[in-house]
Amino acid sequence: MVTWLGTDAYGLDRPPDLRLLLPAAAAWLAALGALAAPPWLAWLCAGAAGCAALAVLAAARPSLEAPALALVATLACGATVAAVAGIHVHRTASSAATAAVERGGEAAFRAVVTADPRSRAGMPRPGRAEWVVPARTEWVEADERERLSRAPVVVLASGDGWSDLLPGQSFEASGAFLATDGDRLTAALVPVRGPPEEVTGPGRLQGFAGGVRAGLREAAAELPQPERGLLPALIVGDVSELGERTAEDFRATGMTHLLTVSGANLAILTGFVLGLARWTRAPPWCSVAGGALMIWMFVLVCRPEPSVVRAAFMGSLGLLALATGRAHAGMGALCVTVVGALFVAPGLAASYGFALSVLATAGILVLVPGWARAWSERWPRPVAEAFAVAVAAHVAVAPVLVLLSGEVSWVAVPANVLAAPLVAVVTVAGSALAALASVWPTAASLLVHLPGLGVSWIALVAETGARVPYGAVPWRSDVAGGLLLAAVLVAVLLTRGLTRRVIAAVAVAVLLLGWAARCVPGGWPPPGWVLVACDVGQGDAFVLSSGRGEAVVFDTGEDAGSVDDCLERLEVREVPLLVLSHDHSDHVDGVPGVLRHRRVPAALVPAGFEESAVGRLLAEEGVALTVAEQGWQFRVGPWLLRVLWPEEGFVGSVNDMSVVVRADGPEMSVLLTGDIEEEAQRALVHGPEPELLAVTVLTTPHHGAGTQEPAFLAATGAAVSVTSAGRDNPYGHPAPFTLGVLEGVAQVNARTDLDGDVAVLGGPVRVAVRGPEPDR
């Protein structure tokens, strides 16, 4: 049976075949254990399991043949995967690349690219790697000799020529081999400066696949954002043009799986091919051949990512089942897929992507048949199946998702249901467009607007879902939290009648209480807040309330998610002015978080900021940039803002060139100081208007570093000082010297590393704190 769901939906009207579930689980656990243990221990356990399998097979009685064979298969699969994983770990540990890590210093090497280079997350910075290039070394230089080495490494590259590399191309470079953090199948991280050398040409197949992806990108360039970046992401998993704001929308609505090509894409495409073959009454061998060609092309163009590997294995087994007349054995095919994939690449056992793909498929195969039949009595069959698939997949992956996000989303299911019909259409139309773009680019550029309409709808669903207030409920993000959620879901699925209703009611009540705790007034933010210092770790982000739902933001910290979360808690929907003190990552790289779903018409920036990565981003987003000049005044809501620094003609360090702003409101005055140090502080104290330094609230310069001029701090006469710094930061901020000076100046000294978000309230000036985030 083939439904509109594709090859992953074979046999939805048959009960699942669970006979291979134990071997698959044993293989997965064996791989995880072998990746964490020394190779000799993995081999010892594999040998013991193999001997036990032979003993069971020899001692089995005819009456117990079925359970004996099941036990033998379980032991054999676990033994084989453990042995293979031990070989991989040993080969990596004994490689010349690992020896280069232990030796230290730089080493020349030659490597083969194993996956497409991807741009590094975060804003580009001088001296910071731009590209992450997975590769496999061929040789590594040691003692002026080239030692053969076939070990996986990750090259952190800066320079030209890296973005165009394709899998299969080899190159030479030189860099320091650094140890990885807990990844025993990756020998080293290798930072490299400059372009790759001695680059070989790509293979014909990889060159063809790269051309297909490039053609799709060029065709999609005719679309506006976010459609321009979304179409290649949905079709071939190319996220190079995908905006960070769009990616966050998909994460918030549980639709991230659409941005990484997976079994769903392959299921749709093979389902289309098989449906077309059936419509044309083609013989079975033609259907199988067409499906096999589609699988091969899909893996070639979309690259062997974990979900693609799982889908390709399962699709191939599904075609084999179709050819042999056993098209109902979907769960068995999934179990064989897991075992086969772990035989070839045991590292997949530790991949979240592989786990999510397998669990989602299992949920669809096990839960959809009954749900679709029951719900189709009330709704049209396509609607019932779409809803059943979305709910089943989300239920199956929820315990793993909570480990990644620390929350349970109730928006994810309706968002995926609304997007699902167009996903199928866009997948087929976009794949056809990619094929057309490789042979007739002009026609593809004209026709790209057709799938672009579907992409627009998917983007609208994600954006709207992400705007829903409190669309997710916090949950423990550790193993205990995942197991607890899994236990609740299993209890709901396995029980019936009154018991199920009671369990479901309790679960819903807990979720509603958690949601209510976030919504009920009287928590955070405190009523009457005027200034909030956001806890963004080692960085600065200050928020001045300028009206209901509006605020001036001064600096943004480094992490976009942290400042976005802070503004969400403050219910800030519009930022009439964004002030950026200077171009250091811990002050400006969080700008994408401020821009997310907020109107930001203007930004005040230091001279030369327009040419920076953040400056270009603001210009692309339509934010008007104004260069700060000393003496400039402007009003935003109740605030009169005055630029006190830098003075015209001043030349100093980037820190001392920070924009300093005095904000005067009806209830208090605030001095926002960026990272100015002694030179700039002395210039302000001895400047023409030192009386402007006297304020109610001082934001401590440079995170409270020891580079302070005591006379400057004293000149502020602040009643409250707020120091923004990260917990246990490596710089020792705030310095004991600075804290001592502040104790003699301000009545209240708050700091985000100990207090979390800090709010200064109006009226009689008071301070409220939210409590620190555990990881900042």
Side-chain angles (χ1 to χ4, degrees), residues 714-738:
T716 67
V720 176
S721 76
V722 182
T723 305
S724 183
R727 177 182 293 187
D728 299 324
N729 66 82
Y731 312 104
H733 298 164
F737 161 75
T738 302

Side-chain angles (χ1 to χ4, degrees), residues 260-498:
T260 55
V261 289
S262 65
N265 302 67
L266 184 55
I268 292 167
L269 293 175
T270 50
F272 176 76
V273 170
L274 295 176
L276 185 64
R278 175 166 295 187
W279 180 67
T280 58
R281 303 186 182 220
W285 68 264
C286 187
S287 300
V288 173
L293 178 62
M294 177 58 70
I295 291 172
W296 181 79
M297 289 290 295
F298 183 80
V299 174
L300 175 65
V301 173
C302 297
R303 302 166 298 272
E305 300 292 339
S307 57
V308 177
V309 170
R310 195 268 325 151
F313 265 103
M314 188 163 182
S316 301
L317 290 170
L319 291 173
L320 180 62
L322 176 65
T324 58
R326 292 177 53 83
H328 67 282
M331 195 64 187
L334 178 61
C335 292
V336 172
T337 296
V338 171
V339 174
L342 295 177
F343 278 174
V344 176
L348 289 174
S351 166
Y352 279 110
F354 186 71
L356 292 171
S357 178
V358 170
L359 289 174
T361 303
I364 291 171
L365 291 170
V366 173
L367 300 175
V368 165
W371 290 357
R373 280 194 299 270
W375 297 345
S376 61
E377 296 176 0
R378 307 176 188 175
W379 305 330
R381 180 76 179 184
V383 175
E385 286 185 346
F387 195 67
V389 168
V391 176
H394 192 67
V395 165
V397 302
V400 177
L401 286 179
V402 80
L403 299 178
L404 297 173
S405 63
E407 59 187 24
V408 177
S409 172
W410 59 267
V411 174
V413 171
N416 278 280
V417 170
L418 290 172
L422 272 298
V423 169
V425 174
V426 168
T427 299
V428 174
S431 299
L433 182 77
L436 179 64
S438 63
V439 295
W440 194 1
T442 304
S445 297
L446 295 175
L447 296 175
V448 70
H449 297 281
L450 296 178
L453 293 174
V455 174
S456 297
W457 169 255
I458 297 170
L460 179 63
V461 169
E463 181 179 350
T464 304
R467 287 176 177 269
V468 174
Y470 311 109
V473 178
W475 195 275
R476 289 187 58 161
S477 59
D478 54 8
V479 175
L483 292 176
L484 175 61
L485 182 58
V488 172
L489 294 173
V490 169
V492 172
L493 293 173
L494 294 183
T495 55
R496 294 289 185 272
L498 180 61

Side-chain angles (χ1 to χ4, degrees), residues 33 60 67 74 76 100 130 154 168 227 249 271 300 355 408 432 436 456 474 565 596 601 638 674 717 733 765:
T74 301
E130 302 173 64
V154 175
E227 291 85 349
D249 288 346
L300 175 65
V408 177
L436 179 64
S456 297
D565 290 345
R596 185 168 179 257
H733 298 164
V765 176

